[in-house]
């Protein structure tokens, strides 16, 4: 009886391993770098001029921003080919925090599926949270990287 039980357990484990093998092979192939994803990097100027990141439709996969000053700033992304900061409604808004001792802060927001922008991607950077805000950020204080395709 004991030998019969061992033989059946071995057989069961073999069957389970064979059933799970295709899933483990696919899992290794699930994550890969997409060579078409670009990174656009910007250092904020002391103005609120809209920045056209992409003038045609695209997908934003990640936004990261860093702050070496003591003032919060806001990144606003628009689904447009052109924009005027302080007008319209952003498709996405991000707050760039500062460090506890003003020695640096920031964020990274990633979306493996991406956010679709049918018209284009335009960015504004202001120091006010309101969509209508036109307060300019301090120059050379904020770095913004947008990963898109």
């Amino acid at each position: 009886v004991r030998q019969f039980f061992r033989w059946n357990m071995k057989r069961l484990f073999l069957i389970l391993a064979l059933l799970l093998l295709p899933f483990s092979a696919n899992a290794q192939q699930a994550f890969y770098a997409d060579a078409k994803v670009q990174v656009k990097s910007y250092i904020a100027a002391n103005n609120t001029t809209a920045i056209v990141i992409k003038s045609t439709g695209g997908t934003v996969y990640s936004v990261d921003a860093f702050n070496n000053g003591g003032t919060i700033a806001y990144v606003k992304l628009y689904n447009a080919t052109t924009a005027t900061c302080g007008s319209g409604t952003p498709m996405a808004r991000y707050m760039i925090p500062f460090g506890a001792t003003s020695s640096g802060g920031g964020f990274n927001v990633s979306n493996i599926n991406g956010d679709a922008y049918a018209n284009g991607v335009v960015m504004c950077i202001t120091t006010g949270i309101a969509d209508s805000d036109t307060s300019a950020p301090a120059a050379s204080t904020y770095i913004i990287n947008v990963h898109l395709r």
Side-chain angles (χ1 to χ4, degrees):
V1 173
R2 187 179 267 172
Q3 195 170 20
F4 176 77
F5 180 71
R6 268 193 235 156
W7 185 81
N8 279 337
M9 289 303 290
K10 286 181 184 178
R11 196 173 186 188
L12 178 64
F13 284 129
L14 178 63
I15 291 169
L16 285 173
L18 291 173
L19 289 173
L20 294 175
L21 186 62
F23 294 109
S24 65
N26 287 338
Q28 293 172 355
Q29 297 171 6
F31 299 102
Y32 59 92
D34 186 343
K36 295 179 183 175
V37 173
Q38 301 175 338
V39 179
K40 304 283 184 134
S41 185
Y42 302 92
I43 297 174
N46 186 4
N47 62 48
T48 55
T49 302
I51 300 165
V52 177
I53 298 173
K54 191 169 194 298
S55 60
T56 59
T59 303
V60 173
Y61 292 97
S62 178
V63 176
D64 40 80
F66 308 95
N67 178 350
N68 67 6
T71 303
I72 292 172
Y74 300 88
V75 175
K76 300 166 187 176
L77 297 181
Y78 296 84
N79 181 18
T81 55
T82 62
T84 300
C85 295
S87 66
T89 303
M91 187 165 157
R93 301 168 189 86
Y94 306 96
M95 181 183 79
I96 309 174
F98 59 87
T101 60
S102 298
S103 60
F107 72 85
N108 172 274
V109 175
S110 296
N111 179 349
I112 194 167
N113 297 314
D115 295 321
Y117 288 73
N119 300 313
V121 183
V122 178
M123 175 174 66
C124 289
I125 305 159
T126 67
T127 56
I129 194 170
D131 292 345
S132 60
D133 185 75
T134 57
S135 304
S140 302
T141 304
Y142 307 96
I143 298 170
I144 301 92
N145 301 310
V146 180
H147 306 251
L148 73 160
R149 180 175 168 182

